[in-house]
Amino acid sequence: MATSATVEEQAKLVETSKRLAAFQAVKDYLLPEYTRIGIGSGSTVVYVVEAISELGSAVTSKMAFYPTGSQSEELIEAAGLNLQYISKLPAGQQLDVAFDGADEVDDDLNLIKGGGACLWQEKIVAASAKQFVCVADFRKLSTRLGMAWKKGIPIEVLPMAAPRVLGELQRMGSQNPRIRPGLPGKAGAIVTDNGMWIIDAPFPPLLLPKDIEAGSQTGNSTAGVWTVDALADALIKIPGVAEIGLFYGKNGLQLASGAQKPVAAYF
Ligand code: 5RP
């Protein structure tokens, strides 16, 4: 009984932390003059939408909300907010801000995302925003990616390429990469909103530039010890990989479209 009370208490603490982070993020980063807002996926984002709804229709009716997949689409609709699609955003225009969760956040605010299998659309929406706000509870903070989120880096792949991608990942030093199974009760692999599969690829904790500067590490080796940037560059080049769940500031989102490194992670 004592154990189950502790588990319940922990779960409550996590929910409180998510909610506080979401309300703080909306208070700090959703300015009333904004008109285009990205809404990510996962359980934390539910609180983001709750916080936005509490601003009232006098504020929110002037705003359009852009989802990162079917879950956030339903969330936006259920809250009675104005649902729009990134596919209709005119070329050259941007969202004012995008809010999303993460599975892990490192010292430099690089992220692992994709625990909910929405990473491809999440990255497109993040890259379309002037500001990307990561909303995360205390469990997500980690000094190096891979230390807290042990399931591996989510990688969205074309199903026919999955066996070959698995082989490449093993060659790169991933420890036991595997195709993510379907949700409980669903046979086979999980299928994303884009008709793809997800491979989860565990690697040893990913190094940061400061680790390389500090000395002995090279950050790119067959032993599977990589920097965030080097691994991201290598993964995205594997034929059949559609997108990867590493969200990293300088060389990823920013180069792709001028979007920002995450400006805030709350714990
Ligand atoms: C989905 C994601 C989510 O943002 C991430 O998994 C965090 O989810 P949660 O807020 O439920 O912990 O990347 O693909």
Side-chain angles (χ1 to χ4, degrees):
M1 289 303 275
T3 310
S4 103
T6 308
V7 168
E8 271 172 31
E9 276 166 23
Q10 175 71 7
K12 209 171 156 192
L13 197 65
V14 167
E15 290 311 305
T16 304
S17 176
K18 285 184 199 173
R19 196 163 188 279
L20 282 174
F23 274 72
Q24 189 68 44
V26 169
K27 182 169 172 276
D28 289 349
Y29 290 101
L30 185 56
L31 306 187
E33 62 267 30
Y34 284 174
T35 55
R36 293 171 171 151
I37 324 294
I39 298 291
S41 321
S43 56
T44 309
V45 159
V46 173
Y47 295 116
V48 169
V49 171
E50 187 188 325
I52 292 172
S53 298
E54 285 197 12
L55 297 174
S57 63
V59 176
T60 60
S61 61
K62 298 182 199 115
M63 297 173 169
F65 296 86
Y66 294 76
T68 55
S70 51
Q71 182 228 344
S72 47
E73 186 175 326
E74 284 166 23
L75 201 59
I76 292 165
E77 278 196 311
L81 300 171
N82 175 13
L83 175 70
Q84 295 292 330
Y85 294 98
I86 209 79
S87 56
K88 299 281 192 303
L89 189 68
Q93 299 212 9
Q94 286 184 295
L95 307 182
D96 295 299
V97 64
F99 296 93
D100 204 348
D103 299 302
E104 191 175 10
V105 184
D106 75 11
D107 266 1
D108 284 2
L109 297 186
N110 299 303
L111 312 176
I112 289 181
K113 288 186 50 55
C118 304
L119 60 106
W120 196 1
Q121 293 192 39
E122 286 173 347
K123 200 172 267 192
I124 293 167
V125 168
S128 304
K130 291 178 198 159
Q131 237 182 353
F132 175 68
V133 179
C134 170
V135 186
D137 64 77
F138 64 90
R139 297 168 307 162
K140 312 292 180 62
L141 180 60
S142 157
T143 56
R144 301 292 181 277
L145 297 180
M147 292 176 90
W149 180 257
K150 306 272 189 200
K151 296 178 185 173
I153 298 162
I155 301 173
E156 187 154 356
V157 296
L158 192 67
M160 61 86 82
R164 189 180 174 280
V165 175
L166 282 172
E168 280 290 295
L169 291 167
Q170 282 160 353
R171 194 186 56 74
M172 290 167 65
S174 174
Q175 302 137 339
N176 192 23
R178 54 208 171 270
I179 297 168
R180 191 181 298 179
L183 296 174
K186 290 216 170 177
I190 197 159
V191 178
T192 71
D193 285 338
N194 315 305
M196 303 283 163
W197 287 359
I198 299 286
I199 291 177
D200 292 297
F203 281 88
L206 300 185
L207 304 178
L208 297 175
K210 60 188 169 197
D211 299 320
I212 307 299
E213 284 153 22
S216 57
Q217 306 279 10
T218 62
N220 179 352
S221 84
T222 47
V225 180
W226 296 82
T227 59
V228 176
D229 291 18
L231 182 61
D233 286 350
L235 291 176
I236 199 68
K237 286 182 184 144
I238 301 174
V241 167
E243 192 48 272
I244 60 172
L246 282 175
F247 282 47
Y248 60 119
K250 292 195 193 87
N251 302 323
L253 299 176
Q254 217 168 35
L255 276 187
S257 69
Q260 310 287 318
K261 191 171 180 179
V263 294
Y266 292 91
F267 300 95

